[in-house]
Amino acid sequence: MAWIRLLASIGAGGVIYMTPIIFHQVDLSASQVGQGLAAAALVGTLVRLVNGILLDRGLSCSWPVRGAALLALMADLVLLPSNTFQGYLSGQMLIGIAAGLYFPAIELAVPLSSGSVPSSRGYALARSADAVGVAIGALGGALLAAFGMIRGVYVIEAIAVVTMLMILTVKPLPDGRESLLKADAEIGVNDGISHNSDSSFGWVMPLLPVLLVSIVATAMVSLLQSALPLDLVRGGLERPALSPAWCGVVIALELGWLVLLQWPVGNWVAQRSLRFGLGIGLCSFSIGGLLLACSALWSGGIVLITVAVVPMAFGKAAFLPTAAEAMIEETPLQHRGLAMALFSQCFAISATGAPLVTGALMDYQGHGLSLWLLMAGLCVVSLPLLKNVRPRYTAELATLHLEADIDGQGQRTSPIR
């Protein structure tokens, strides 16, 4: 599972961060770049939901990942020669469908692959593989940009996804849910336990706080991928514009910090409450947003940007694995595929709205000052939503109900401290 995520992230790392720069160079406006990113997220929305339902009905996690790899390969073949908005939009649509197939399945695969290892540490390892892969991909993109071969990122992704398909052919992702779901259902019938709340949509209500704060957090992640490259190449009020190669270096710096921080930070928050990991992630995003906003006001603002990427990386390392673990620990086994689809929808929603707002705002103002201030404020005001976040099921496949710890004395239910 970790190797699959590593390869997928190597391919996506260069494509995600370099595509806005590539199509900025062919005179697409920030609004057009944002529209393409939003279209990719929008088309993936329905795919995520259908994928989640199919996963809950026993579809093996390997099949959606295979489909995502094939679609990513098609997107690379479309984007590589394209110099028009239509070609850019078509490639982004394929990427959106691929993301809708990939993310619910690969996130659900983490607890299924963890074995005796706690799934919270499994998510920390998975995010570490993501961080290393994206950093390698983005650094490769920066090097290609420096040598005038920036479109080579699509070739790198094509090689990565073909390798993924070969690995999945030899060793599919583990999946042992079908027999356990049947066993849990039989136990429930024999013991007279009612599962009405699990079979209806009542199980969704406890997830709403995590989903809402995840939309805010993933919007910040999306902006680091789409708005930050544009902000760097356009410059701020006083900060001069950077060349595409130097933009790649700055992005690679943030990803490098994420590589260094993901495992120690992810492992650290895994030993604490869900609220702690989510809360410290939001606070870190807010600090990073304030530093990015201030960078626009200073001719040497690049210094503040290099500082801002540290709390941004820390926020990713703390928030993303904790949010995925929260979705598992607040959802019964028979609905975890759809729960992961809903969690993945947070990325889709933020990736739909954030680039559209960003493109319009940056075309109107010419800089990202207001954007980063807005995001810093949203992260702060989202903190009270974490009050009701707590685990309700064990993360293992058996999914036993946990007793509520009203006083928050348990390790996984304690308040932010």
Side-chain angles (χ1 to χ4, degrees):
M1 184 274 301
W3 279 108
I4 293 296
R5 294 184 74 132
L6 176 67
L7 287 166
S9 299
I10 288 173
V15 171
I16 289 172
Y17 285 95
M18 294 297 118
T19 293
I21 298 174
I22 289 170
F23 286 91
H24 173 76
Q25 291 178 337
V26 297
D27 296 327
L28 265 64
S29 68
S31 294
Q32 288 177 312
V33 172
Q35 288 167 15
L37 296 171
L42 188 60
V43 75
T45 299
L46 179 61
V47 178
R48 284 172 168 84
L49 292 176
V50 174
N51 190 19
I53 293 171
L54 292 175
L55 287 168
D56 281 340
R57 293 186 177 180
L59 178 67
S60 172
C61 294
S62 293
W63 286 110
V65 175
R66 289 188 181 105
L70 290 172
L71 286 166
L73 180 60
M74 293 172 60
D76 295 327
L77 296 176
V78 170
L79 291 170
L80 180 60
S82 178
N83 288 308
T84 66
F85 177 69
Q86 287 299 324
Y88 167 68
L89 184 61
S90 299
Q92 288 298 316
M93 296 280 279
L94 289 170
I95 289 175
I97 299 172
L101 291 174
Y102 177 80
F103 282 106
I106 204 68
E107 292 286 4
L108 183 61
V110 174
L112 298 176
S113 304
S114 295
S116 60
V117 177
S119 60
S120 56
R121 297 190 70 191
Y123 277 112
L125 176 61
R127 293 295 176 183
S128 297
D130 292 343
V132 172
V134 171
I136 293 172
L139 181 58
L143 292 174
L144 289 169
F147 287 102
M149 299 183 294
I150 191 171
R151 288 179 182 262
V153 295
Y154 301 122
V155 177
I156 292 175
E157 183 177 53
I159 295 171
V161 296
V162 169
T163 307
M164 281 173 55
L165 288 170
M166 294 172 62
I167 292 175
L168 286 170
T169 301
V170 176
K171 189 174 183 180
L173 294 170
D175 199 328
R177 291 169 298 142
E178 186 175 357
S179 59
L180 289 165
L181 281 170
K182 188 180 296 184
D184 282 350
E186 291 174 355
I187 292 172
V189 171
N190 294 335
D191 292 347
I193 300 173
S194 174
H195 292 283
N196 290 335
S197 62
D198 289 347
S199 59
S200 68
F201 286 97
W203 59 272
V204 176
M205 297 306 294
L207 302 181
L208 291 181
V210 180
L211 293 173
L212 290 173
V213 297
S214 293
I215 290 173
V216 175
T218 55
M220 184 66 88
V221 173
S222 175
L223 292 176
L224 291 175
Q225 297 169 351
S226 58
L228 182 58
L230 289 176
D231 193 16
L232 293 173
V233 296
R234 294 163 71 101
L237 285 171
E238 299 292 335
R239 189 186 73 241
L242 295 179
S243 68
W246 278 110
C247 291
V249 171
V250 172
I251 292 166
L253 179 63
E254 187 262 335
L255 297 173
W257 275 110
L258 183 58
V259 170
L260 293 175
L261 294 174
Q262 183 64 81
W263 175 250
V265 173
N267 197 36
W268 174 56
V269 297
Q271 300 173 32
R272 287 162 174 79
S273 71
L274 297 173
R275 278 176 258 176
F276 180 84
L278 298 174
I280 201 170
L282 288 174
C283 290
S284 298
F285 283 140
S286 182
I287 293 169
L290 287 174
L291 289 171
L292 289 176
C294 291
S295 74
L297 304 174
W298 180 32
S299 60
I302 186 63
V303 175
L304 291 180
I305 291 176
T306 58
V307 175
V309 297
V310 179
M312 287 296 190
F314 191 97
K316 286 184 186 180
F319 187 94
L320 294 178
T322 308
E325 176 67 11
M327 298 300 292
I328 290 293
E329 293 192 13
E330 297 207 42
T331 309
L333 176 62
Q334 60 267 37
H335 298 300
R336 285 181 178 174
L338 189 53
M340 281 305 172
L342 293 174
F343 178 55
S344 183
Q345 292 289 32
C346 296
F347 291 83
I349 292 169
S350 59
T352 301
L356 289 176
V357 174
T358 298
L361 193 60
M362 293 186 71
D363 279 343
Y364 177 72
Q365 294 186 327
H367 56 79
L369 174 62
S370 299
L371 172 68
W372 301 120
L373 284 176
L374 174 64
M375 291 306 303
L378 285 175
C379 289
V380 172
V381 300
S382 299
L383 286 170
L385 293 171
L386 302 179
K387 180 180 179 181
N388 295 320
V389 174
R390 64 174 178 81
R392 290 171 170 80
Y393 300 87
T394 61
E396 290 73 24
L397 291 177
T399 60
L400 301 174
H401 285 272
L402 297 176
E403 294 184 2
D405 189 349
I406 299 175
D407 295 328
Q409 300 300 314
Q411 184 186 49
R412 295 297 293 177
T413 57
S414 59
I416 298 173
R417 59 187 187 273

